[in-house]
Short mmCIF file of all heavy atoms in Angstrom, two decimals:
data_model
loop_
_atom_site.label_atom_id
_atom_site.label_comp_id
_atom_site.label_asym_id
_atom_site.label_seq_id
_atom_site.Cartn_x
_atom_site.Cartn_y
_atom_site.Cartn_z
N LEU T 259 74.04 -6.18 -7.49
CA LEU T 259 74.08 -5.94 -8.93
C LEU T 259 75.33 -6.58 -9.51
O LEU T 259 76.45 -6.35 -9.05
CB LEU T 259 74.10 -4.43 -9.20
CG LEU T 259 74.13 -3.99 -10.66
CD1 LEU T 259 72.84 -4.42 -11.38
CD2 LEU T 259 74.31 -2.48 -10.76
N VAL T 260 75.13 -7.40 -10.55
CA VAL T 260 76.23 -8.11 -11.22
C VAL T 260 76.29 -7.62 -12.66
O VAL T 260 75.32 -7.77 -13.42
CB VAL T 260 76.01 -9.64 -11.19
CG1 VAL T 260 77.21 -10.35 -11.80
CG2 VAL T 260 75.78 -10.12 -9.76
N GLU T 261 77.44 -7.04 -13.05
CA GLU T 261 77.61 -6.49 -14.39
C GLU T 261 78.76 -7.18 -15.09
O GLU T 261 79.89 -7.17 -14.61
CB GLU T 261 77.89 -4.99 -14.31
CG GLU T 261 76.80 -4.18 -13.63
CD GLU T 261 77.21 -2.75 -13.41
OE1 GLU T 261 77.93 -2.49 -12.43
OE2 GLU T 261 76.84 -1.90 -14.24
N SER T 262 78.46 -7.78 -16.24
CA SER T 262 79.50 -8.38 -17.07
C SER T 262 79.60 -7.57 -18.36
O SER T 262 78.95 -6.53 -18.50
CB SER T 262 79.18 -9.84 -17.36
OG SER T 262 77.94 -9.96 -18.02
N ASP T 263 80.39 -8.05 -19.31
CA ASP T 263 80.57 -7.28 -20.54
C ASP T 263 79.26 -7.01 -21.27
O ASP T 263 79.08 -5.96 -21.87
CB ASP T 263 81.52 -8.04 -21.49
CG ASP T 263 82.98 -7.88 -21.10
OD1 ASP T 263 83.30 -6.86 -20.45
OD2 ASP T 263 83.78 -8.77 -21.42
N HIS T 264 78.33 -7.95 -21.21
CA HIS T 264 77.12 -7.83 -22.02
C HIS T 264 75.82 -7.96 -21.23
O HIS T 264 74.76 -8.12 -21.81
CB HIS T 264 77.13 -8.91 -23.12
CG HIS T 264 78.31 -8.81 -24.04
ND1 HIS T 264 79.42 -9.60 -23.90
CD2 HIS T 264 78.56 -7.98 -25.09
CE1 HIS T 264 80.31 -9.28 -24.84
NE2 HIS T 264 79.80 -8.31 -25.57
N ALA T 265 75.89 -7.95 -19.90
CA ALA T 265 74.66 -8.17 -19.13
C ALA T 265 74.72 -7.47 -17.78
O ALA T 265 75.79 -7.31 -17.20
CB ALA T 265 74.42 -9.66 -18.93
N ARG T 266 73.55 -7.05 -17.34
CA ARG T 266 73.37 -6.60 -15.97
C ARG T 266 72.27 -7.45 -15.34
O ARG T 266 71.17 -7.54 -15.87
CB ARG T 266 72.96 -5.12 -15.90
CG ARG T 266 74.12 -4.13 -16.03
CD ARG T 266 73.64 -2.74 -15.64
NE ARG T 266 74.73 -1.79 -15.67
CZ ARG T 266 74.87 -0.83 -16.60
NH1 ARG T 266 73.98 -0.72 -17.57
NH2 ARG T 266 75.89 0.00 -16.55
N VAL T 267 72.58 -8.06 -14.21
CA VAL T 267 71.64 -8.91 -13.49
C VAL T 267 71.61 -8.46 -12.04
O VAL T 267 72.66 -8.16 -11.44
CB VAL T 267 72.05 -10.39 -13.59
CG1 VAL T 267 71.17 -11.26 -12.69
CG2 VAL T 267 71.98 -10.88 -15.03
N LEU T 268 70.41 -8.42 -11.46
CA LEU T 268 70.26 -8.09 -10.05
C LEU T 268 69.85 -9.35 -9.31
O LEU T 268 68.94 -10.07 -9.74
CB LEU T 268 69.18 -7.02 -9.89
CG LEU T 268 69.08 -6.28 -8.55
CD1 LEU T 268 70.35 -5.49 -8.28
CD2 LEU T 268 67.86 -5.36 -8.55
N VAL T 269 70.56 -9.67 -8.23
CA VAL T 269 70.18 -10.79 -7.38
C VAL T 269 69.50 -10.23 -6.14
O VAL T 269 70.11 -9.50 -5.36
CB VAL T 269 71.40 -11.65 -6.98
CG1 VAL T 269 70.94 -12.84 -6.13
CG2 VAL T 269 72.14 -12.14 -8.21
N ASP T 270 68.23 -10.56 -5.99
CA ASP T 270 67.32 -10.04 -4.97
C ASP T 270 67.08 -8.55 -5.17
O ASP T 270 67.92 -7.82 -5.73
CB ASP T 270 67.80 -10.36 -3.56
CG ASP T 270 67.47 -11.79 -3.15
OD1 ASP T 270 66.57 -12.39 -3.76
OD2 ASP T 270 68.12 -12.32 -2.23
N CYS T 271 65.93 -8.12 -4.72
CA CYS T 271 65.48 -6.74 -4.96
C CYS T 271 64.55 -6.36 -3.82
O CYS T 271 63.35 -6.19 -3.99
CB CYS T 271 64.77 -6.68 -6.32
SG CYS T 271 64.43 -5.01 -6.90
N GLY T 272 65.15 -6.23 -2.62
CA GLY T 272 64.36 -6.10 -1.41
C GLY T 272 64.18 -4.68 -0.91
O GLY T 272 64.94 -3.77 -1.25
N LEU T 273 63.18 -4.50 -0.07
CA LEU T 273 62.92 -3.23 0.60
C LEU T 273 63.78 -3.12 1.86
O LEU T 273 64.02 -4.11 2.55
CB LEU T 273 61.46 -3.12 1.02
CG LEU T 273 60.42 -2.64 0.01
CD1 LEU T 273 59.08 -2.51 0.71
CD2 LEU T 273 60.82 -1.31 -0.61
N PHE T 274 64.20 -1.90 2.16
CA PHE T 274 64.79 -1.61 3.46
C PHE T 274 63.65 -1.42 4.47
O PHE T 274 62.62 -0.83 4.17
CB PHE T 274 65.63 -0.34 3.42
CG PHE T 274 66.92 -0.49 2.66
CD1 PHE T 274 67.03 -0.04 1.35
CD2 PHE T 274 68.02 -1.09 3.25
CE1 PHE T 274 68.22 -0.16 0.66
CE2 PHE T 274 69.21 -1.23 2.57
CZ PHE T 274 69.31 -0.77 1.26
N GLN T 275 63.87 -1.93 5.69
CA GLN T 275 62.87 -1.83 6.74
C GLN T 275 63.56 -1.44 8.05
O GLN T 275 64.77 -1.49 8.17
CB GLN T 275 62.14 -3.17 6.92
CG GLN T 275 61.41 -3.66 5.68
CD GLN T 275 61.00 -5.10 5.77
OE1 GLN T 275 61.82 -6.00 5.61
NE2 GLN T 275 59.73 -5.34 6.04
N GLY T 276 62.75 -1.06 9.04
CA GLY T 276 63.31 -0.78 10.36
C GLY T 276 63.56 0.70 10.57
O GLY T 276 62.64 1.53 10.49
N LEU T 277 64.80 1.07 10.85
CA LEU T 277 65.15 2.44 11.17
C LEU T 277 64.78 3.39 10.04
O LEU T 277 64.87 3.04 8.86
CB LEU T 277 66.66 2.55 11.45
CG LEU T 277 67.19 1.76 12.67
CD1 LEU T 277 68.71 1.73 12.65
CD2 LEU T 277 66.67 2.39 13.96
N ALA T 278 64.39 4.63 10.40
CA ALA T 278 63.98 5.61 9.40
C ALA T 278 65.10 5.86 8.39
O ALA T 278 64.85 6.04 7.19
CB ALA T 278 63.58 6.91 10.09
N GLU T 279 66.34 5.85 8.87
CA GLU T 279 67.48 6.05 7.98
C GLU T 279 67.53 4.98 6.89
O GLU T 279 67.85 5.25 5.73
CB GLU T 279 68.78 6.02 8.79
CG GLU T 279 70.04 6.10 7.94
CD GLU T 279 71.29 5.84 8.75
OE1 GLU T 279 71.19 5.73 9.99
OE2 GLU T 279 72.36 5.73 8.13
N LEU T 280 67.20 3.74 7.27
CA LEU T 280 67.18 2.66 6.29
C LEU T 280 65.99 2.81 5.35
O LEU T 280 66.12 2.64 4.13
CB LEU T 280 67.13 1.31 7.00
CG LEU T 280 68.39 0.87 7.73
CD1 LEU T 280 68.13 -0.42 8.50
CD2 LEU T 280 69.54 0.64 6.73
N ARG T 281 64.82 3.11 5.89
CA ARG T 281 63.62 3.22 5.05
C ARG T 281 63.76 4.31 4.00
O ARG T 281 63.24 4.18 2.89
CB ARG T 281 62.38 3.46 5.91
CG ARG T 281 62.07 2.34 6.90
CD ARG T 281 60.64 2.45 7.41
NE ARG T 281 60.33 3.75 7.97
CZ ARG T 281 60.54 4.12 9.22
NH1 ARG T 281 61.11 3.28 10.09
NH2 ARG T 281 60.20 5.32 9.65
N ARG T 282 64.50 5.38 4.33
CA ARG T 282 64.69 6.46 3.35
C ARG T 282 65.46 5.98 2.14
O ARG T 282 65.34 6.57 1.05
CB ARG T 282 65.39 7.65 4.02
CG ARG T 282 64.46 8.49 4.89
CD ARG T 282 65.08 9.80 5.26
NE ARG T 282 66.16 9.64 6.22
CZ ARG T 282 66.00 9.69 7.55
NH1 ARG T 282 64.81 9.90 8.06
NH2 ARG T 282 67.03 9.54 8.35
N ARG T 283 66.27 4.93 2.30
CA ARG T 283 67.03 4.42 1.16
C ARG T 283 66.11 3.87 0.07
O ARG T 283 66.51 3.78 -1.10
CB ARG T 283 68.00 3.33 1.60
CG ARG T 283 69.10 3.79 2.53
CD ARG T 283 70.10 2.67 2.75
NE ARG T 283 70.98 2.95 3.87
CZ ARG T 283 71.94 2.13 4.28
NH1 ARG T 283 72.11 0.96 3.66
NH2 ARG T 283 72.72 2.44 5.30
N ASN T 284 64.90 3.47 0.43
CA ASN T 284 63.98 2.96 -0.58
C ASN T 284 63.63 4.01 -1.63
O ASN T 284 63.18 3.67 -2.73
CB ASN T 284 62.69 2.47 0.08
CG ASN T 284 62.91 1.23 0.94
OD1 ASN T 284 63.67 0.34 0.58
ND2 ASN T 284 62.23 1.18 2.08
N TRP T 285 63.83 5.28 -1.29
CA TRP T 285 63.49 6.36 -2.21
C TRP T 285 64.66 6.78 -3.09
O TRP T 285 64.49 7.59 -4.00
CB TRP T 285 62.96 7.57 -1.42
CG TRP T 285 61.66 7.27 -0.75
CD1 TRP T 285 61.48 6.81 0.53
CD2 TRP T 285 60.36 7.36 -1.31
NE1 TRP T 285 60.16 6.61 0.80
CE2 TRP T 285 59.43 6.95 -0.31
CE3 TRP T 285 59.87 7.76 -2.55
CZ2 TRP T 285 58.06 6.92 -0.53
CZ3 TRP T 285 58.50 7.73 -2.76
CH2 TRP T 285 57.61 7.32 -1.76
N ARG T 286 65.83 6.25 -2.81
CA ARG T 286 66.99 6.60 -3.63
C ARG T 286 66.95 5.88 -4.98
O ARG T 286 66.47 4.75 -5.07
CB ARG T 286 68.30 6.21 -2.92
CG ARG T 286 68.56 6.93 -1.63
CD ARG T 286 69.87 6.45 -1.04
NE ARG T 286 70.12 7.00 0.29
CZ ARG T 286 71.14 6.64 1.07
NH1 ARG T 286 72.00 5.71 0.64
NH2 ARG T 286 71.29 7.19 2.27
N GLU T 287 67.47 6.52 -5.99
CA GLU T 287 67.56 5.88 -7.29
C GLU T 287 68.70 4.86 -7.27
O GLU T 287 69.72 5.04 -6.61
CB GLU T 287 67.83 6.92 -8.37
CG GLU T 287 66.66 7.88 -8.60
CD GLU T 287 66.96 8.85 -9.73
OE1 GLU T 287 68.01 8.68 -10.39
OE2 GLU T 287 66.14 9.75 -9.95
N LEU T 288 68.51 3.78 -8.02
CA LEU T 288 69.60 2.82 -8.19
C LEU T 288 70.66 3.41 -9.11
O LEU T 288 70.38 4.36 -9.87
CB LEU T 288 69.05 1.51 -8.76
CG LEU T 288 68.13 0.70 -7.87
CD1 LEU T 288 67.75 -0.62 -8.56
CD2 LEU T 288 68.76 0.40 -6.52
N PRO T 289 71.87 2.86 -9.09
CA PRO T 289 72.96 3.43 -9.88
C PRO T 289 72.86 3.13 -11.37
O PRO T 289 73.77 3.46 -12.12
CB PRO T 289 74.21 2.79 -9.27
CG PRO T 289 73.73 1.51 -8.70
CD PRO T 289 72.35 1.80 -8.19
N CYS T 290 71.82 2.45 -11.81
CA CYS T 290 71.60 2.25 -13.24
C CYS T 290 70.11 2.26 -13.49
O CYS T 290 69.30 2.04 -12.58
CB CYS T 290 72.24 0.95 -13.72
SG CYS T 290 71.53 -0.54 -13.00
N ASP T 291 69.72 2.50 -14.71
CA ASP T 291 68.30 2.52 -15.05
C ASP T 291 67.72 1.12 -14.96
O ASP T 291 68.38 0.14 -15.32
CB ASP T 291 68.10 3.07 -16.47
CG ASP T 291 68.42 4.55 -16.57
OD1 ASP T 291 68.32 5.26 -15.55
OD2 ASP T 291 68.79 4.98 -17.68
N GLY T 292 66.47 1.05 -14.52
CA GLY T 292 65.82 -0.24 -14.49
C GLY T 292 65.79 -0.91 -15.85
O GLY T 292 65.89 -2.14 -15.96
N ALA T 293 65.66 -0.11 -16.90
CA ALA T 293 65.60 -0.66 -18.26
C ALA T 293 66.90 -1.34 -18.67
O ALA T 293 66.91 -2.14 -19.61
CB ALA T 293 65.25 0.45 -19.25
N ASP T 294 68.01 -1.02 -17.99
CA ASP T 294 69.31 -1.60 -18.36
C ASP T 294 69.57 -2.94 -17.68
O ASP T 294 70.60 -3.57 -17.93
CB ASP T 294 70.43 -0.63 -17.99
CG ASP T 294 70.41 0.63 -18.85
OD1 ASP T 294 69.88 0.55 -19.98
OD2 ASP T 294 70.89 1.68 -18.38
N ILE T 295 68.68 -3.36 -16.79
CA ILE T 295 68.84 -4.65 -16.10
C ILE T 295 68.09 -5.71 -16.89
O ILE T 295 66.89 -5.57 -17.16
CB ILE T 295 68.32 -4.56 -14.65
CG1 ILE T 295 69.14 -3.53 -13.86
CG2 ILE T 295 68.38 -5.93 -13.97
CD1 ILE T 295 68.61 -3.26 -12.47
N GLU T 296 68.80 -6.78 -17.28
CA GLU T 296 68.17 -7.82 -18.10
C GLU T 296 67.31 -8.77 -17.29
O GLU T 296 66.30 -9.27 -17.78
CB GLU T 296 69.25 -8.63 -18.84
CG GLU T 296 69.86 -7.92 -20.03
CD GLU T 296 70.74 -8.85 -20.84
OE1 GLU T 296 70.24 -9.87 -21.34
OE2 GLU T 296 71.95 -8.55 -20.95
N ALA T 297 67.73 -9.07 -16.07
CA ALA T 297 67.01 -10.06 -15.28
C ALA T 297 67.23 -9.80 -13.80
O ALA T 297 68.25 -9.22 -13.40
CB ALA T 297 67.46 -11.48 -15.63
N VAL T 298 66.26 -10.23 -12.99
CA VAL T 298 66.39 -10.24 -11.54
C VAL T 298 66.19 -11.67 -11.07
O VAL T 298 65.23 -12.33 -11.47
CB VAL T 298 65.36 -9.32 -10.86
CG1 VAL T 298 65.52 -9.38 -9.33
CG2 VAL T 298 65.49 -7.88 -11.34
#
């Protein structure tokens, strides 16, 4: 996640795979709302 004064951009947006501990991270909320991201 890249945040500047006027923009939020996400570079790559991948799934966690492999260990159960990693896969559970797919269910966590991101630290900002999807609506606040301008581009991926």
Side-chain angles (χ1 to χ4, degrees):
L259 181 64
V260 184
E261 301 172 279
S262 59
D263 281 334
H264 301 99
R266 278 193 176 108
V267 173
L268 194 63
V269 182
D270 280 339
C271 190
L273 276 185
F274 288 100
Q275 300 166 283
L277 296 168
E279 175 190 352
L280 289 174
R281 298 196 307 273
R282 282 193 289 268
R283 295 188 194 180
N284 292 321
W285 294 93
R286 296 180 186 173
E287 293 183 6
L288 293 184
C290 64
D291 291 334
D294 292 334
I295 298 174
E296 284 189 59
V298 179

